[in-house]
Amino acid sequence: MVPPGNSPPSPTSSPHPEPVAVITGASSGIGLALSEHLLSKGWKVFCADINPSGAKVIASLHAPSTSKEASAPAPDTPEPVFVQCDVASFADQKRLFEQTFVWNGNVDFFAANAGIDDKEDVFRDWEGEHLARSKGQNGNDSSANREETVGNGEEEFECEEMNCRTMDVDLRAVMQGMKLFVFYARRAARRDVKEGKKKRVRRMVVTASMMGIYPFETNPQYAAAKHGLIGLVRSVGPKFQRDDNITVNAIMPAFIITGLAPKGLVETLEQKGHVTPMSSILKAYDAFIEDDSKTGETVEVSGQTLYWRKPVEFANESQRWLGEDLEGVWKGCYADARTGEKGR
């Protein structure tokens, strides 16, 4: 791993020919299946995960496959590289991309896949529980307890800051990863032009969720983050393709068996037939990897089927004028407002 504080690396003098992928959340679930899938196709894969035990999992991918979904890599397949990385840390992601780029001076594909579920119940009545405990009550009627105890002069219960790590990992980290991916993709593209090489497409695929287009009462922060990812992908995909030959798309899986599922959920959903196979997810990734024309696209994956979801229709022509910036008003005004900004 590249030590913190080092200057940006230069690519190796003799770049390796294999296409290069960066995958976050790579030691389990979708990330692991995708890592194995790309390795079987001859990719060099840099596998990032916050869990240090993921190193053994990733190392095992170069051995004969145990997955039912992906083919075993050939003996001469490039070895995967494990990088321990907390995607919520920009410094960690920066080291991840530096280490990838220095291997052969290129990053062809970025799967922004790492994600977590909600770490705080937004509906929880913290003060009500506190007051119930202080009165030795069971808390079944927390609103009544609060009115009685506060009215009697009980000390006020302080409201603490919400745990928003879900937003940090599921949304902010994806945006930071996108910035790093585009940075190195542009650097590689400039080198290609200088060396007279053929222009190439580089791709980013974001793991959103079906909960990015539907409500999700159990995990509202997760839903908010995934809704945000859909907006991000649809907003940046077309322009990155026009300007930089970079495609940005999103998959929206239904329920997949991953480490996020709490005890008992997998068994229940399997019994009811609501589990989407990993093979369908890999089919969605292949659709984006193999088709250079797709960008700003979002595909819902449920069961064996891919559902290509489009943005909602504009309510009227005024909304279309604003949303599509038909006369360049937004673009012009914001270009002036952002003059002189340094990455902020």
Side-chain angles (χ1 to χ4, degrees), residues 165-185:
R165 179 159 174 83
T166 303
M167 302 299 291
D168 293 338
V169 173
D170 293 2
L171 181 59
R172 291 182 66 252
V174 174
M175 298 176 73
Q176 300 290 12
M178 179 183 71
K179 182 174 184 178
L180 286 161
F181 172 65
V182 170
F183 176 86
Y184 283 106

Side-chain angles (χ1 to χ4, degrees), residues 289-302:
I289 292 172
E290 296 168 2
D291 188 346
D292 295 344
S293 69
K294 293 185 183 299
T295 193
E297 296 281 347
T298 55
V299 60
E300 185 177 0
V301 187
S302 179

